[in-house]
């Protein structure tokens, strides 16, 4: 099933990402032909780095690789194989910057030209600089795999560019529960790793933001950024407005959903134009918000430490009774009753 907010059936993932995953699988004794057949990918598609496959095909390949390998930490190994050069113009633009802060700004700006269903953000929190990863909620079965891939890739690039420096005082926060065997995670991220934190973040000392990039080159950076801009236009042009809106709703840093005006500003259109564009695709902004609120409500109700009132507030309802009415429309019963029923299940 296509994930809302993701251009699932459009070719927007570079084929060499699939090729690298196949190489890893073959090293584990798996058959490339079997993986590609299950994913609907023609072997000839992987022969050139400029070829593209769809998100659905790539997701199917990831699922099949996980299933056949039986290795729940496969994403970590795959992420380590995604060397900086793998990312082409994105990597070139970042490493050509003057400082680490500039490099992160470029990386965050263009990250989705490589992973369209993910979003990186960067901000400062006190004495720490924070890189945060957000994923589309509707690819739950690949959630841990995708987090592992990106976090491991970021760590591998960090070690290449800065050695152990950023690990001094740094830490890693992961959203999912600690696996039975966390050895691979501690080997990669060190002892300062926290599972079940509610976010996926790499944190390091703010003072490192001024660290110089050894390959700084303003001319190279301009050329690479121009290529990134061209790829961004291609992806945005191939993505329906409703999917772009859902992606923005899903990847916000807080539980509270942004309003129509905020989303319109991000898309650089007026609220009126956004309403008209959505109407042309047969949807309303409120429908998209409600659909995501429904999914998030089910996720939050499974967290027993949260009260119904806290969940209502997290979803943007000023009055818990409004949340209750909305939830009864979605599920046919009150939030508290749904929670009790699923606790027994």
């Amino acid at each position: 099933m296509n994930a809302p907010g993701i251009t699932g059936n459009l070719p927007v993932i570079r084929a060499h990402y699939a090729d690298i995953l196949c190489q890893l699988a073959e090293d584990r004794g798996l058959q490339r032909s079997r993986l590609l057949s299950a994913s609907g990918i023609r072997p000839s598609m992987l022969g050139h780095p400029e070829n593209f496959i769809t998100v659905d095909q790539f997701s199917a390949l990831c699922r099949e690789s996980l299933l056949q390998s039986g290795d729940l930490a496969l994403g970590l190994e795959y992420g380590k194989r995604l060397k900086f050069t793998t990312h082409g113009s994105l990597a070139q633009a970042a490493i050509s910057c003057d400082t680490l802060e500039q490099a992160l700004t470029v990386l965050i700006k263009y990250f989705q030209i490589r992973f369209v269903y993910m979003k990186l953000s960067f901000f400062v929190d006190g004495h720490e600089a924070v890189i945060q990863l957000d994923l589309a909620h509707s690819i739950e079965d690949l959630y841990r795999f995708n987090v592992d891939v990106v976090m491991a890739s970021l760590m591998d690039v960090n070690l290449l560019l800065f050695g152990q420096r950023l690990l001094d005082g740094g830490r890693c926060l992961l959203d999912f529960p600690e696996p039975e065997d966390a050895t691979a995670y501690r080997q990669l991220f060190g002892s300062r790793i926290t599972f079940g934190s509610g976010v996926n973040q790499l944190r390091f000392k703010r003072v490192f933001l001024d660290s110089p990039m050894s390959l700084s080159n303003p001319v190279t950076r301009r050329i690479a950024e121009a290529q990134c801009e061209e790829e961004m236009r291609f992806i945005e042009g191939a993505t329906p407005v409703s999917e772009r809106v859902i992606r923005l709703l899903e990847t916000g840093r807080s539980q509270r959903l942004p309003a129509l005006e905020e989303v319109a500003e991000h898309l650089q259109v007026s609220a009126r134009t956004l309403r008209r564009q959505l109407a042309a695709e047969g949807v309303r902004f409120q429908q998209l918000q409600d659909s995501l609120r429904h999914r998030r409500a089910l996720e939050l109700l499974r967290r027993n430490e949260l009260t119904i009132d806290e969940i209502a507030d997290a979803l943007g309802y000023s009055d818990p009774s409004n949340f209750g009415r909305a939830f009864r429309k979605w599920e046919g019963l009150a939030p508290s009753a749904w929670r009790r029923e699923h606790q027994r299940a």
Side-chain angles (χ1 to χ4, degrees):
M1 183 178 70
N2 288 353
I6 298 174
T7 47
N9 57 358
L10 293 172
V12 291
I13 300 284
R14 288 187 177 270
H16 68 276
Y17 286 96
D19 189 40
I20 294 169
L21 181 54
C22 285
Q23 291 171 15
L24 170 60
E26 286 177 316
D27 290 346
R28 299 289 183 89
L30 304 182
Q31 293 182 10
R32 174 184 289 245
S33 58
R34 187 176 164 193
L35 293 173
L36 294 180
S37 176
S39 311
I41 302 172
R42 299 194 312 274
S44 59
M45 289 298 295
L46 307 190
H48 195 284
E50 295 302 315
N51 287 340
F52 290 87
I53 60 175
T54 70
V55 173
D56 286 349
Q57 288 174 322
F58 184 66
S59 297
L61 179 65
C62 295
R63 288 188 186 96
E64 195 65 22
S65 300
L66 277 170
L67 178 67
Q68 291 192 31
S69 70
D71 182 4
L72 295 178
L74 187 69
L76 290 180
E77 187 59 39
Y78 177 47
K80 287 191 288 186
R81 293 202 178 195
L82 297 181
K83 303 303 181 185
F84 217 28
T85 51
T86 304
H87 307 301
S89 57
L90 174 63
Q92 194 65 60
I95 64 174
S96 301
C97 291
D98 295 333
T99 65
L100 174 58
E101 183 169 12
Q102 287 182 7
L104 288 175
T105 301
V106 167
L107 181 63
I108 268 62
K109 182 178 181 180
Y110 298 114
F111 184 71
Q112 285 184 317
I113 66 174
R114 293 295 174 262
F115 296 99
V116 70
Y117 50 90
M118 306 185 199
K119 179 185 176 184
L120 277 185
S121 51
F122 161 62
F123 55 97
V124 172
D125 182 16
H127 296 297
E128 291 183 308
V130 184
I131 304 172
Q132 176 162 306
L133 172 68
D134 293 289
L135 283 76
H137 290 254
S138 44
I139 47 173
E140 290 287 336
D141 61 322
L142 289 175
Y143 187 85
R144 174 182 164 185
F145 177 85
N146 282 320
V147 171
D148 286 352
V149 170
V150 176
M151 293 302 202
S153 181
L154 288 173
M155 282 298 297
D156 198 63
V157 169
N158 157 55
L159 291 173
L160 171 68
L161 296 178
F162 301 101
Q164 296 291 326
R165 266 195 308 157
L166 295 191
L167 293 179
D168 176 23
R171 55 199 178 110
C172 176
L173 308 179
L174 296 175
D175 188 17
F176 49 83
E178 182 169 352
E180 287 185 21
D181 184 1
T183 305
Y185 291 88
R186 303 197 190 285
Q187 287 175 343
L188 184 62
F189 301 110
S191 59
R192 299 191 67 188
I193 181 171
T194 304
F195 293 93
S197 63
V199 292
N200 299 300
Q201 295 178 343
L202 290 175
R203 288 175 169 257
F204 56 92
K205 290 180 180 178
R206 180 180 181 176
V207 294
F208 289 134
L209 288 175
D210 294 327
S211 299
M213 303 291 289
S214 59
L215 298 177
S216 172
N217 186 316
V219 175
T220 301
R221 177 184 173 183
R222 280 198 301 273
I223 295 171
E225 279 206 68
Q227 292 175 330
C228 290
E229 286 287 349
E230 187 175 338
E231 293 184 56
M232 281 281 282
R233 286 193 292 272
F234 166 73
I235 288 176
E236 293 301 336
T239 306
V241 174
S242 56
E243 294 193 357
R244 292 163 63 188
V245 168
I246 295 173
R247 194 165 67 217
L248 287 170
L249 292 174
E250 286 184 319
T251 54
R253 280 210 297 268
S254 65
Q255 293 287 355
R256 194 177 299 280
L257 300 181
L260 172 72
E261 290 73 18
E262 296 173 78
V263 173
E265 183 180 357
H266 190 94
L267 294 175
Q268 298 182 323
V269 297
S270 68
R272 182 187 226 170
T273 297
L274 180 56
R275 283 195 190 93
R276 189 173 65 249
Q277 291 173 336
L278 290 174
E281 294 179 9
V283 295
R284 291 181 294 110
F285 184 77
Q286 188 67 48
Q287 286 177 287
L288 302 180
Q289 271 197 327
D290 287 346
S291 176
L292 182 54
R293 277 198 178 106
H294 183 190
R295 292 202 303 275
R296 283 195 177 173
L298 300 181
E299 293 170 9
L300 294 174
L301 282 166
R302 292 187 176 96
R303 293 171 53 183
N304 293 323
E305 73 274 12
L306 297 176
T307 67
I308 301 298
D309 285 2
E310 287 171 335
I311 292 172
D313 181 65
L315 294 172
Y317 292 95
S318 56
D319 185 345
S321 62
N322 292 336
F323 169 54
R325 279 193 292 273
F327 193 85
R328 279 189 286 272
K329 284 183 181 177
W330 298 328
E331 295 291 327
L333 70 171
S336 55
W338 189 93
R339 172 178 269 175
R340 286 194 299 271
E341 187 174 290
H342 284 76
Q343 282 175 335
R344 291 197 300 269

